[in-house]
Each structure stands twice: as structure tokens, then as C-alpha cells.
Amino acid sequence: PEELLVFLQNVLAINPHNERAAEWMQATKTLISKTFVQRGIKASNENRRDFAGQCFRQAVEHDEQNEMGWMWLAFNADSIEEK
């Protein structure tokens, strides 16, 4: 998916109005985001909190609408301010 994302970014740089590339880009970002959440949950269950936090941050960077990513990011946070 990461290579596909780079490819789609190149397509959109050449033709920003390519609707199919834009749709695929969003779908790919959503897939990557879900993958990061899964990795983060596994890391959290293994008490690897730093890595889990990185995964959850990357998840919401790829898809700001990923509610599970936000929820786990807050759950994994150390302070109230972070939550």
C-alpha cells in the first residue's frame, strides 16, 4: 500500500483532477490507517507503549476520521492533556 500511495501521489501531481486516483488515494490511506491501528493494538497488548503510540499517531495522520485510531491514541496517552 505504501508504494501504491507514492504512485497515486505522482498521478495526482501530474493530474490533480484525476477522480479515480483521488478515490484510490483515500481508500489506500484508510487501509494503511487501519493497519497501523492493528499494529498498535498488538504492541499495546505486548506492553510496547512507545511503539503503540507511534502506530496510533501514524494511523490518524493517514486518516483523521479513524475513530479507533483516536480512541487507542487517547487510551495509550500518559497524561490528561494528551488524551
Side-chain angles (χ1 to χ4, degrees):
E2 289 87 357
E3 290 179 15
L4 178 58
L5 194 60
V6 171
F7 171 78
L8 292 169
Q9 288 170 339
N10 290 336
V11 170
L12 289 170
I14 294 168
N15 181 5
H17 303 291
N18 187 321
E19 290 180 26
R20 182 177 285 174
E23 290 171 6
W24 287 8
M25 171 87 90
Q26 185 56 48
T28 302
K29 285 183 173 185
T30 299
L31 175 64
I32 291 172
S33 179
K34 289 177 181 180
T35 301
F36 276 117
V37 170
Q38 291 171 348
R39 289 179 191 165
I41 291 170
K42 183 178 183 210
S44 181
N45 290 337
E46 295 170 350
N47 292 320
R48 297 184 304 147
R49 295 189 70 217
D50 289 339
F51 180 68
Q54 289 174 346
C55 290
F56 299 135
R57 281 188 293 281
Q58 288 180 327
V60 298
E61 285 175 14
H62 283 287
D63 181 5
E64 293 178 357
Q65 302 301 316
N66 187 329
E67 294 175 3
M68 290 296 291
W70 286 110
M71 183 192 76
W72 276 96
L73 185 60
F75 176 76
N76 195 61
D78 291 325
S79 68
I80 297 296
E81 291 80 23
E82 285 182 90
K83 291 179 188 235

